[in-house]
């Protein structure tokens, strides 16, 4: 397996545009969740979400392209631009050896909903020729490739909430198989619209907490559902040999990656967490690491009554908990590193979260500061790990894991570690 490294990062989130603003928002314990401004519909029971604020697509693309793209593509494009610029990659010199994997769970769903309403309800029977290019998931990758002249492998991943993590997995596989030297892994999500909010509310998946700032409370005993978010993320992933040859600044190593499926239920995870356990073990095997080598885990942690304890159980089992009828012995629990969820800051970014949360892991390694879990106040006996509730914690770590666990039993685990130079 090739040694793979990360040389560029990009992010568009409800707590900041750009990686620096995003990371500072985490450190400042900023919450980007509020009342939805994108639409007004009194029939939708829950109208809070994490919206990106102050985003002007013309800061990142031409006015013509802004008119031809939906928000989820614009967020992906802006994230990609930041990552490409940070990496310093000269794309035109090796366009055939540079590829893209785009991640999006819901692509242009909100655009489809708006267009159908104007067509069927408002009676405007002409649909814009831009409609299809705005909604197709793969058009994010296509628009970036057209703008930058990228001609290598191109894939679009739509595996629900684990899309971002799975996109990293696929990019790593392509690099390891020799199909490319550099991969842009990019994600975009913007699906706040009445039909999505209504179906999730009817499924009792969303928080009913009337206070937007405290609605998302991962692992807290009073959690009652997740909060939708939107945004984009991007990383530049390349072989170590290629990065060193071009003199790139290497931010960290991609140590391991795992993907699998529960094969259990369309929305609920396996209660015993066995799918997530196997996925984390797969990532560790590829990394040649033991669970004790991980210094921090950024959990999927969506703030749901069922999902949070299942992930906690999976993590505890990974670290040696066998007798589920008994509390985990303190000596085993002491081996588990601090864990947290950053969804209290941003809401659930769906396909984009798998990338922005890996970025949080990279920044934790770089800065020696671990992200806290926002709104964790009341302990839950079923969720009894160190969730960093007090605020950002100064702790030097060399490796971190990020979990993304999606509808349909999709699981991905990504391990990043401090880059130590050529071996």
């Amino acid at each position: 397996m090739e040694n793979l490294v990360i040389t560029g990062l990009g992010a568009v989130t409800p707590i900041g545009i750009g990686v620096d603003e995003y990371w500072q928002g985490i450190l400042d314990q900023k919450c980007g969740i509020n009342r939805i401004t994108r639409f007004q519909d009194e029939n939708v029971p829950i109208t809070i979400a994490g919206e990106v604020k102050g985003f002007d697509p013309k800061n990142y693309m031409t006015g013509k392209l802004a008119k031809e793209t939906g928000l989820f593509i614009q967020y992906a494009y802006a994230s990609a631009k930041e990552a490409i610029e940070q990496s310093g990659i000269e794309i035109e010199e090796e366009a055939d050896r540079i590829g893209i994997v785009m991640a999006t769970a819901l692509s242009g769903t909100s655009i489809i909903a708006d267009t159908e309403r104007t067509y069927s309800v408002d009676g405007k029977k002409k649909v814009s020729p831009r409609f299809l290019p705005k909604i197709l998931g793969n058009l994010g990758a296509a628009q970036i490739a057209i703008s930058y002249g990228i001609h290598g492998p191109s894939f679009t991943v739509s595996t629900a909430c684990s899309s971002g993590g799975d996109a990293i997995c696929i990019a790593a596989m392509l690099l390891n198989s020799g199909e490319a030297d550099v991969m842009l892994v990019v994600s975009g999500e913007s699906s706040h619209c009445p039909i999505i909010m209504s179906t999730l509310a009817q499924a009792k998946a969303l928080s009913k907490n009337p206070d937007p700032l405290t609605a998302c409370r991962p692992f807290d005993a009073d959690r009652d559902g997740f909060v939708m978010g939107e945004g984009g993320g991007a990383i530049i992933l390349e072989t170590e040999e290629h990065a060193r040859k071009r003199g790139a600044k290497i931010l960290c190593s991609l140590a391991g990656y795992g993907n699998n499926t529960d094969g259990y239920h369309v929305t609920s995870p396996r209660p015993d967490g066995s799918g997530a356990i196997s996925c984390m073990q797969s990532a560790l095997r590829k990394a040649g690491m033991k669970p004790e080598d991980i210094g921090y885990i950024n959990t999927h942690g969506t703030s749901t009554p069922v999902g949070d304890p299942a992930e906690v159980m999976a993590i505890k089992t990974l670290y040696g908990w066998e007798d589920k009828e008994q509390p985990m012995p303190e000596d085993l629990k002491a081996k588990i590193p601090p864990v947290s969820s950053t969804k209290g800051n941003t809401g659930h970014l769906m396909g984009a979260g798998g990338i922005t949360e890996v970025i949080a892991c990279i920044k934790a390694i770089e800065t020696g500061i671990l992200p806290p879990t926002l709104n964790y106040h009341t302990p839950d006996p079923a969720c009894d790990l160190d969730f960093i509730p007090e605020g950002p914690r100064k702790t030097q770590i060399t490796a971190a894991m990020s979990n993304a666990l999606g509808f349909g039993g999709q699981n991905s685990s990504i391990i990043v570690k401090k880059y130590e130079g050529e071996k």
Side-chain angles (χ1 to χ4, degrees), residues 292 294 319 328-338 384-386:
E292 291 78 14
I294 302 297
Y319 282 84
M328 188 175 191
E330 290 302 319
D331 61 328
L332 287 180
K333 191 181 291 188
K335 294 180 181 180
I336 302 177
D384 55 348
L385 301 179
D386 176 4

Side-chain angles (χ1 to χ4, degrees), residues 211-228:
D211 177 13
L213 298 181
T214 61
C216 187
R217 42 198 319 116
F219 305 108
D220 187 273
D222 296 325
R223 68 190 183 280
D224 68 339
F226 76 88
V227 176
M228 286 287 286

Side-chain angles (χ1 to χ4, degrees), residues 224-303:
D224 68 339
F226 76 88
V227 176
M228 286 287 286
E230 64 174 3
I235 67 170
I236 299 292
L237 183 64
E238 54 188 301
T239 65
E240 179 187 27
E241 179 183 5
H242 184 272
R244 290 178 63 86
K245 185 177 180 180
R246 70 182 186 88
K249 179 181 178 182
I250 295 173
L251 304 177
C252 74
S253 298
L254 176 67
Y257 52 92
N259 159 276
N260 69 3
T261 178
D262 282 357
Y264 172 73
H265 192 271
V266 293
T267 56
S268 296
R270 282 191 174 275
D272 62 0
S274 56
I277 296 164
S278 178
C279 189
M280 290 186 283
Q281 289 171 334
S282 177
L284 287 165
R285 279 195 301 273
K286 290 186 183 72
M289 299 170 71
K290 299 176 181 179
E292 291 78 14
D293 297 326
I294 302 297
Y296 163 70
I297 300 174
N298 187 293
T299 65
H300 188 57
T302 57
S303 185

